[in-house]
């Protein structure tokens, strides 16, 4: 019976790992590869597309799902518990920074993200935007590294015994759901931050002419 349970748990953990691979968290979602210099109008259009994405049903559903996640108790499986801790850390870090994007957006564009005139905003400094961008890149690096490690977990779970393996399923589900949402939000935040950096620079260039 124990052998059957362990086999079933192993199969499910393989499924979780395979699903994580399907989400393609193999490249840093914070890396913005397009280095083309955009005009202010092009940057405005890009922001509009990003805002539309952030208000889409799929985006909001993933955010709502990750916000409801609660880190499970330790399983006693070292590698898996470390990944759970990392996922929880990245989620907390992302939640903490969510207020930064609207503030910087308002400061750079003079409008709120809902399109209303921004009032009482503190001027943003270029180094603040750059620091935020670097933070998202670091989060992306940690996400990619953890995603690769997740693929090795079925073997570690299989050798841990039935009781620990049963606990592992909840952790695998938590990590997988966390990584899916984090990939989405890191990508969005990184692109918006890069846009604001470019917009701020372009506007400063216009004013100096």
């Amino acid at each position: 019976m124990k052998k059957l349970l362990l086999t079933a748990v192993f199969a499910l953990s393989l499924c979780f790992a395979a699903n994580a691979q399907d989400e393609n968290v193999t490249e840093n979602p914070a890396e913005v590869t397009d280095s083309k210099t955009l005009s202010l109008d092009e940057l405005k259009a890009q922001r509009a597309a990003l805002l539309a994405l952030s208000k889409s049903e799929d985006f909001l559903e993933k955010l709502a799902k990750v916000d409801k996640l609660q880190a499970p108790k330790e399983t006693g499986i070292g590698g898996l518990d470390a990944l759970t801790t990392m996922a929880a850390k990245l989620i907390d870090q992302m939640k903490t920074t969510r207020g930064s994007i609207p503030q910087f957006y308002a400061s750079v564009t003079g409008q709120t993200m809902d399109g209303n005139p921004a009032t009482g905003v503190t001027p943003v400094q270029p180094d603040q935007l750059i620091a935020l961008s670097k933070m998202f890149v670091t989060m992306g690096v940690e996400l990619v590294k953890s995603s690769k490690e997740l693929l090795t977990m079925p073997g570690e779970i299989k050798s841990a015994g039935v009781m620990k393996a049963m606990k592992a399923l909840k952790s695998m589900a938590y990590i997988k759901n966390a990584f899916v949402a984090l990939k989405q939000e890191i990508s969005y935040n990184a692109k918006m931050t890069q846009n604001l950096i470019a917009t701020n620079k372009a506007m400063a260039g216009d004013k100096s002419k």
Side-chain angles (χ1 to χ4, degrees):
M1 183 64 179
K2 285 185 177 181
K3 187 175 181 180
L4 287 174
L5 281 172
L6 186 57
T7 301
V9 170
F10 178 63
L12 284 171
S13 63
L14 279 174
C15 182
F16 281 129
N19 286 340
Q21 177 66 29
D22 290 342
E23 291 297 333
N24 293 321
V25 193
T26 55
E27 296 180 357
N28 191 336
E31 293 288 355
V32 180
T33 55
D34 187 2
S35 59
K36 177 186 174 184
T37 301
L38 302 179
S39 68
L40 282 170
D41 285 341
E42 289 172 325
L43 289 166
K44 184 177 180 180
Q46 187 183 70
R47 284 197 304 278
L50 288 170
L51 286 173
L53 170 66
S54 71
K55 295 174 182 177
S56 67
E57 185 177 348
D58 180 64
F59 190 97
L60 293 174
E61 280 182 355
K62 285 177 182 174
L63 283 192
K65 190 171 185 178
V66 77
D67 283 349
K68 292 177 182 177
L69 288 177
Q70 292 188 344
K73 295 179 180 178
E74 290 189 353
T75 62
I77 302 173
L80 189 61
D81 290 339
L83 286 180
T84 300
T85 299
M86 176 57 72
K89 172 195 165 187
L90 290 174
I91 288 173
D92 287 343
Q93 193 173 5
M94 186 60 75
K95 288 179 180 178
T96 301
T97 60
R98 277 185 192 164
S100 299
I101 296 292
Q103 290 175 5
F104 290 160
Y105 185 99
S107 179
V108 171
T109 68
Q111 291 185 323
T112 68
M113 296 180 82
D114 292 326
N116 299 316
T119 58
V121 294
T122 303
V124 64
Q125 300 301 317
D127 59 343
Q128 290 178 287
L129 286 167
I130 291 171
L132 187 64
S133 177
K134 288 181 178 179
M135 188 198 72
F136 291 134
V137 170
T138 300
M139 291 178 70
V141 169
E142 291 177 338
L143 181 62
V144 171
K145 180 175 179 291
S146 297
S147 296
K148 290 178 180 178
E149 291 174 358
L150 182 61
L151 301 178
T152 68
M153 284 301 106
E156 192 170 344
I157 290 169
K158 188 176 182 180
S159 63
V162 175
M163 296 306 293
K164 289 182 179 179
M166 293 293 287
K167 294 179 182 178
L169 290 179
K170 186 177 288 187
S171 294
M172 289 287 285
Y174 170 82
I175 294 166
K176 188 259 182 182
N177 287 326
F179 285 179
V180 169
L182 284 164
K183 177 189 174 185
Q184 169 189 265
E185 197 168 3
I186 289 172
S187 175
Y188 163 76
N189 285 347
K191 288 175 181 177
M192 183 61 83
T193 304
Q194 287 294 326
N195 179 286
L196 294 176
I197 290 172
T199 300
N200 197 46
K201 184 177 180 180
M203 291 176 70
D206 275 1
K207 291 175 183 177
S208 66
K209 291 179 182 179

